[in-house]
């Protein structure tokens, strides 16, 4: 999976996508430390140990570099940035039964706007899975020859 590059100076506005998610009953907000155990176990259960490890690193950042999607008081999705590398977005995921409601797009944009506020001009989407999703919503472009990139030879067990 290739990495992708996003122009942070050309991002779509955040408020309309937050509103779309809210209308579907989904709140997007930054995670806070006391819910770390809930989030990590949810990520592990839905997406595996590797993403749970990355999420733990995001929780070690101050402020926590992880946004959550919450529906009816339950975790519906998450997005991290600056977990495995500075200036990298990811991992991110939404509960399978709640996809298509705008949570993924809102988590992505909330994170990228936060990265812009940190002072970055561009962001890297690490090991981008759904390339069309990133291209469509934030104009991301594939970085040539970026596979396996920073993930070369990492230990999975
Ligand atoms: C990718 C993911 C986070 C998107 O979450 P989501 O909540 O379903 O996304 P949204 O509802 O915000 O999608 C909004 C838009 O993106 C489009 N979209 C969603 N997933 C897409 C995909 N895989 N490929 C292309 N377009 C996609 C939708 O059609 C929709 O378009 P519209 O706004 O024009 O109607 C979710 O599919 C997921 O968790 N996938 C598994 C984990 C994963 O691959 N994470 C990314 C790792 S790099």
């Amino acid at each position: 999976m290739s990495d992708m590059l996003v122009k942070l100076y050309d991002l779509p506005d955040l408020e309309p996508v937050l509103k779309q998610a809210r209308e579907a009953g989904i709140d997007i907000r930054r995670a806070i430390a006391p819910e770390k155990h809930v989030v990590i176990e949810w990520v592990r259960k839905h997406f595996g140990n590797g993403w749970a490890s990355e999420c733990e690193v995001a929780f070690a950042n101050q402020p926590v570099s992880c946004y959550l999607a919450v529906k009816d008081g339950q975790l519906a999705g998450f997005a991290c940035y600056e977990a495995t590398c500075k200036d990298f977005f990811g991992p991110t995921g939404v509960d399978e039964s709640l996809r298509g409601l705008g949570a993924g797009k809102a988590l992505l944009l909330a994170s990228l706007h936060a990265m812009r506020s940190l002072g970055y001009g561009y962001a890297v989407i690490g090991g981008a899975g759904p390339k069309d999703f990133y291209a469509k919503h934030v104009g991301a472009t594939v970085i040539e020859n970026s596979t396996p990139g920073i993930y070369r030879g990492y230990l999975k067990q």
Side-chain angles (χ1 to χ4, degrees):
M1 281 189 289
S2 304
D3 297 333
M4 298 182 85
L5 192 69
V6 182
K7 295 173 179 167
L8 295 180
Y9 51 83
D10 237 359
L11 288 177
D13 289 341
L14 179 55
E15 194 43 45
V17 296
L18 293 181
K19 184 165 176 273
Q20 185 197 342
R22 259 196 316 271
E23 284 168 359
I26 295 168
D27 270 329
I28 304 294
R29 62 166 175 81
R30 190 184 290 277
I32 63 168
E35 56 201 358
K36 175 183 165 189
H37 61 291
V38 177
V39 176
I40 302 300
E41 282 321 304
W42 187 93
V43 173
R44 193 184 313 285
K45 180 175 155 213
H46 288 83
F47 298 105
N49 286 329
W51 286 15
S53 292
E54 289 182 294
C55 206
E56 289 205 46
V57 173
F59 267 88
N61 287 330
Q62 188 67 272
V64 174
S65 59
C66 175
Y67 275 88
L68 303 181
V70 178
K71 184 166 169 53
D72 302 326
Q74 301 293 314
L75 189 52
F78 79 104
C80 298
Y81 61 94
E82 301 226 304
T84 297
C85 265
K86 292 272 190 200
D87 199 22
F88 267 50
F89 169 82
T92 185
V94 172
D95 186 318
E96 221 171 327
S97 66
L98 296 171
R99 289 181 193 165
L101 298 176
K105 191 166 60 177
L107 287 164
L108 171 66
L109 271 172
S111 302
L112 293 178
H113 275 276
M115 294 173 80
R116 176 64 174 147
S117 297
L118 284 175
Y120 294 116
Y122 296 86
V124 175
I125 296 168
K131 292 192 180 60
D132 293 346
F133 172 74
Y134 294 118
K136 179 174 173 188
H137 296 300
V138 293
T141 53
V142 169
I143 300 173
E144 297 301 329
N145 303 316
S146 58
T147 310
I150 59 154
Y151 308 98
R152 185 185 305 275
Y154 83 93
L155 303 174
K156 295 178 186 162
Q157 291 293 330

